[in-house]
Amino acid sequence: MESYLRVGVIASTHGLKGEVKVFPTTDNPKRFRELKKVLLDTGHEYKPLEVAGVKFFKNQVILKFREFDDINEVEQYKGKDLLVTRDQAVPLEENENFITDLIHMEVYTDEGIRLGTLTDVLQTGANDVYVVETEEGKEVLLPAIPSCILKVSVEEARMTVHILEGLLE
């Protein structure tokens, strides 16, 4: 399991006083209101930042950090991830998982046959779709619904699925 979870990506600067526009990568962008601290992944280190202000604009969050007061200080961080520690994460409901914990999971059928490795999660609105790459390099799309996804074990990095009729054709 990853120690840190990405909550957003700095998309661009905003104004001249060091604010940044952030594309949220969390299901609930309103969670930024409660965030006091984040970690900026500079590519070389995790830089702790204190959130001083939060605004919302369209599909983005505008953040002000105490550490930055000038556009020139934050411009270099465009495209960089904002992370939180697991203890800062939004609590999960039953049968919910963080996407980062699902990626690279080994996927087996309910008959014990290895289907492949989970490589991506598509968020479609109605339900997520898990992308599994088979040994042959083919992609299998599995709807993340209870009749298809039978068991997920983050600790074992293993998922058991039931292949619904027509999914492998």
Side-chain angles (χ1 to χ4, degrees), residues 15-118:
L16 300 174
K17 296 184 180 178
E19 291 180 311
V20 292
K21 287 184 185 176
V22 174
F23 179 76
T25 57
T26 174
D27 287 346
N28 182 6
K30 301 292 183 206
R31 79 174 318 277
F32 281 93
R33 284 191 181 126
E34 280 78 48
L35 268 182
K36 303 292 182 227
K37 296 180 184 226
V38 296
L39 295 170
L40 172 65
D41 183 356
T42 67
H44 305 293
E45 66 176 333
Y46 292 153
K47 182 180 183 76
L49 299 176
E50 190 175 335
V51 178
V54 179
K55 296 185 264 188
F56 298 94
F57 180 73
K58 296 185 181 178
N59 65 341
Q60 294 186 326
V61 181
I62 299 172
L63 295 180
K64 171 73 175 109
F65 300 113
R66 290 209 192 288
E67 292 78 4
F68 304 121
D69 290 316
D70 186 88
I71 186 174
N72 297 317
E73 295 174 313
V74 293
E75 209 157 27
Q76 63 186 317
Y77 299 120
K78 284 193 258 184
K80 300 296 184 187
D81 290 342
L82 295 176
L83 310 169
V84 296
T85 57
R86 279 191 181 266
D87 63 329
Q88 291 176 288
V90 174
L92 294 172
E93 300 290 327
E94 188 175 341
N95 295 323
E96 279 188 332
N97 296 285
F98 294 114
I99 290 174
T100 189
D101 292 339
L102 299 175
I103 303 298
H104 305 301
M105 197 172 266
E106 297 296 314
V107 181
Y108 289 83
T109 68
D110 51 356
E111 297 168 346
I113 300 168
R114 185 178 183 283
L115 184 61
T117 304
L118 195 142

Side-chain angles (χ1 to χ4, degrees), residues 130-150:
Y130 296 160
V131 180
V132 178
E133 185 175 314
T134 67
E135 303 253 348
E136 298 81 34
K138 294 182 181 178
E139 284 188 345
V140 177
L141 302 178
L142 301 173
I145 56 175
S147 59
C148 185
I149 309 303
L150 303 179

